[in-house]
Amino acid sequence: QKEVEQNSGPLSVPEGAIASLNCTYSDRGSQSFFWYRQYSGKSPELIMSIYSNGDKEDGRFTAQLNKASQYVSLLIRDSQPSDSATYLCAVNEGNTGTASKLTFGTGTRLQVTL
Amino acid sequence: SQTIHQWPATLVQPVGSPLSLECTVEGTSNPNLYWYRQAAGRGLQLLFYSVGIGQISSEVPQNLSASRPQDRQFILSSKKLLLSDSGFYLCAWSVQGGLGAFFGQGTRLTVV
């Protein structure tokens, strides 16, 4: 059973601070990793993808991947109230041909306080 | 640019009734298509995926079925709904080769 684990939160951070969201996965064969943001009642929105060890930065977001430790994280700098949402970690299975069969964590709820 | 349309947004159906949810993608050809379900307080669960017309792979045994009659159309069906079928149903697409999936607006289904 392939698993993706996230702390459900809520993670509360003050406006302007750095939010750090973490995710571990069980399948060592996983090849690609994604972070989705989901506002309450809405569908998930893809915000970051990462495929190789190290950091990937996009604006205020930085994704970090450590395949040896089977660990993915998302840093949000200068957190804003509009960042308050649930963040889902997703992992693409290896050896799936052309399909993107994603296994999702249950998400971490982030609250950015004024 | 690519867009994905999913309807209806909400649906209330009695137990034992049939179900048909439709999803279409615009602006791309030969996409991979997916149906996910998100139950209350749980993660997204992949139900079906398709890499081409008429090609359907089922991930979870259940009373649901999926069909892909056209390249950019994906349909989720049931002949008789169960209470446990309630949830948030999400259609998604990706390019061939993976690299993440993009979701439609979702259908919130309540079976009563």
Side-chain angles (χ1 to χ4, degrees):
Chain A
Q1 179 83 10
K2 299 177 177 67
E3 294 182 345
V4 177
E5 300 287 343
Q6 294 182 258
N7 188 318
S8 61
L11 173 66
S12 184
V13 299
E15 183 177 6
I18 296 175
S20 178
L21 305 163
N22 304 313
C23 169
T24 58
Y25 60 94
S26 63
D27 182 12
R28 284 196 170 274
S30 299
Q31 300 295 322
S32 47
F33 308 85
F34 308 91
W35 284 98
Y36 286 80
R37 178 177 61 200
Q38 186 174 26
Y39 292 113
S40 180
K42 303 296 185 181
S43 62
E45 173 191 11
L46 179 62
I47 57 172
M48 287 290 287
S49 58
I50 188 166
Y51 310 107
S52 55
N53 282 327
D55 294 1
K56 178 182 178 183
E57 185 175 321
D58 184 0
R60 295 187 296 113
F61 299 102
T62 299
Q64 300 174 318
L65 174 62
N66 183 326
K67 288 187 178 179
S69 300
Q70 296 175 242
Y71 179 91
V72 193
S73 64
L74 178 69
L75 300 178
I76 306 175
R77 291 182 299 281
D78 189 23
S79 295
Q80 300 298 310
S82 59
D83 295 326
S84 298
T86 296
Y87 289 80
L88 306 174
C89 175
V91 175
N92 196 3
E93 296 180 11
N95 301 317
T96 59
T98 64
S100 182
K101 292 173 59 178
L102 299 177
T103 299
F104 282 84
T106 53
T108 297
R109 188 157 65 93
L110 173 66
Q111 293 178 338
V112 180
T113 58
L114 296 174
Chain B
S1 64
Q2 301 86 4
T3 57
I4 179 169
H5 302 281
Q6 187 181 345
W7 65 93
T10 60
L11 192 59
V12 180
Q13 292 284 97
V15 169
S17 64
L19 174 73
S20 180
L21 301 180
E22 188 167 342
C23 168
T24 59
V25 180
E26 296 178 357
T28 186
S29 296
N30 197 26
N32 290 338
L33 296 173
Y34 310 85
W35 280 110
Y36 283 85
R37 178 172 61 199
Q38 188 175 38
R42 302 183 64 181
L44 276 80
Q45 180 185 40
L46 179 61
L47 302 176
F48 301 94
Y49 69 93
S50 172
V51 299
I53 296 175
Q55 301 178 60
I56 308 294
S57 297
S58 174
E59 289 294 295
V60 182
Q62 60 215 326
N63 69 321
L64 299 171
S65 62
S67 62
R68 185 171 178 173
Q70 300 180 41
D71 181 45
R72 290 170 288 176
Q73 183 185 27
F74 205 24
I75 297 172
L76 181 70
S77 303
S78 174
K79 293 181 179 178
K80 289 186 177 182
L81 284 169
L82 308 172
L83 286 173
S84 58
D85 291 325
S86 294
F88 192 33
Y89 287 82
L90 292 152
C91 181
W93 74 275
S94 74
V95 298
Q96 296 287 338
L99 305 183
F102 301 91
F103 287 88
Q105 306 95 312
T107 296
R108 194 163 303 279
L109 171 67
T110 303
V111 182
V112 296

